[in-house]
Amino acid sequence: MSRAVVDHNVQPPVAEEEHLRAQIYTLLARLLARAPDAGLLAALGGLAGEGGEFGTALDRLAEAARGSDPAAVEDEFTTLFIGVGGSERTPYGSYYLTGFLNEKPLADLRADMARLGIARADTVTEPEDHIAALCEMMAGLIGGEFGDGAVGLDGQRAFYDRHVGSWAGRFFADLETSPSARFYRAVGAVGRAFLAVEARAFDLAA
Amino acid sequence: MTRNAVKANDERDKGPAGKDGTLARRDLFRVAGLGAGALGAAVAGTVAAVPEAEAAPAEPQTTGYRETDHVRKVYEVSRF
């Protein structure tokens, strides 16, 4: 079906399923960094899952996207992650792992980032252990975009276990049950389903 | 015939070290609904597009707060 679209003469730099992982991380990063605009919502509305827990979550995300307008999602994003006098969710690894922002997990992350050749963008002021930043890093590690290039599955796994898998699943589960969340409940479900697959897949590769 | 084909396939699966893991991973992704086209070109394209750098807002002609070079410097050095 989709076979006709694949040009076998062009060797992809990373295997198809690995490329898809990077795309999903990129999508999660985009949705958690700022609210989706009308164009992205429309594109999300056209998604059709391909079965399994992740596919079901994707279907729900598409449904949520079709039933949301950009202004409402923008408000929802603000309530959830920015807030007036405090946000509903705190999407930082350090907070989830220690109860405080800017704690040792952030220092550990910065050390690993330096080792892998990753730096925070000049225009960004949030600490690097924000979930969106970590998703971007995972996508970049899969695509071999940093430092000396591809780190391989072992390198990805080490980074994932230490900085993502240790808390992000709980964050996505929290997002799914956030009282103010509508659209972002579906995002939480997609993230949780995806990370569950990621964890199992890393085990298989070991 | 059929049995032979199946057997040959089995042997191929047991190929070099690491191959098993790769195939098992691929199967897992497929079963979990992460097929090759799961995200669709529209979403992948929209997300991959790097947002254009925002043009610096024009300096408002007021006597109120203005982000002068000095102010920007303060922001820069106070970054955590």
Side-chain angles (χ1 to χ4, degrees):
Chain A
M1 194 166 58
S2 61
R3 194 166 299 168
V5 193
V6 180
D7 183 354
H8 288 284
N9 295 321
V10 181
Q11 192 68 32
V14 282
E16 233 171 73
E17 66 270 17
E18 309 300 334
H19 181 60
L20 182 75
R21 288 172 60 220
Q23 284 185 337
I24 295 168
Y25 274 121
T26 307
L27 172 65
L28 289 172
R30 168 65 184 82
L31 289 174
L32 293 160
R34 52 190 191 283
D37 53 19
L40 180 54
L41 271 184
L44 288 173
L47 280 180
E50 296 183 352
E53 201 193 341
F54 180 78
T56 311
L58 218 51
D59 283 335
R60 280 180 42 207
L61 180 67
E63 204 184 310
R66 286 193 293 270
S68 307
D69 80 288
V73 177
E74 178 99 46
D75 283 351
E76 186 186 325
F77 183 91
T78 307
T79 310
L80 283 171
F81 301 118
I82 301 166
V84 178
S87 59
E88 207 163 298
R89 293 292 169 229
T90 309
Y92 296 94
S94 173
Y95 179 80
Y96 267 81
L97 294 170
T98 67
F100 299 94
L101 292 170
N102 305 324
E103 264 291 341
K104 187 137 191 297
L106 177 61
D108 293 339
L109 173 63
R110 285 178 170 173
D112 280 349
M113 284 172 64
R115 193 170 49 75
L116 293 164
I118 313 173
R120 175 167 62 176
D122 292 337
T123 51
V124 174
T125 51
E126 284 89 3
E128 294 89 326
D129 59 346
H130 190 284
I131 182 69
L134 288 168
C135 285
E136 267 184 36
M137 288 182 223
M138 282 302 299
L141 289 176
I142 295 166
E145 293 164 19
F146 304 122
D148 304 325
V151 294
L153 275 180
D154 289 344
Q156 289 174 34
R157 181 185 195 158
F159 187 89
Y160 175 90
D161 283 349
R162 202 162 179 209
H163 303 298
V164 183
S166 48
W167 68 278
R170 275 188 291 142
F171 162 72
F172 283 123
D174 284 348
L175 193 54
E176 268 184 280
T177 56
S178 289
S180 309
R182 297 286 170 270
F183 174 76
Y184 274 92
R185 277 182 194 212
V187 176
V190 169
R192 192 174 51 80
F194 175 59
L195 290 194
V197 177
E198 275 283 276
R200 288 215 303 275
F202 279 130
D203 280 344
L204 282 178
Chain B
M1 275 302 238
T2 319
R3 282 183 69 95
N4 278 344
V6 171
K7 194 157 183 247
N9 211 351
D10 275 350
E11 278 168 4
R12 199 184 55 180
D13 276 4
K14 283 178 194 147
K19 189 87 178 171
D20 269 1
T22 309
L23 287 178
R25 270 172 68 82
R26 197 168 293 168
D27 278 350
L28 169 64
F29 285 127
R30 193 172 46 73
V31 171
L34 277 84
L39 267 201
V43 172
T46 313
V47 169
V50 179
E52 285 173 39
E54 283 168 31
E59 287 282 325
Q61 300 298 317
T62 68
T63 51
Y65 173 81
R66 267 169 299 171
E67 201 172 299
T68 59
D69 282 345
H70 177 74
V71 170
R72 272 192 282 272
K73 187 77 192 167
V74 172
Y75 284 152
E76 198 188 312
V77 297
S78 63
R79 276 161 62 90
F80 181 75

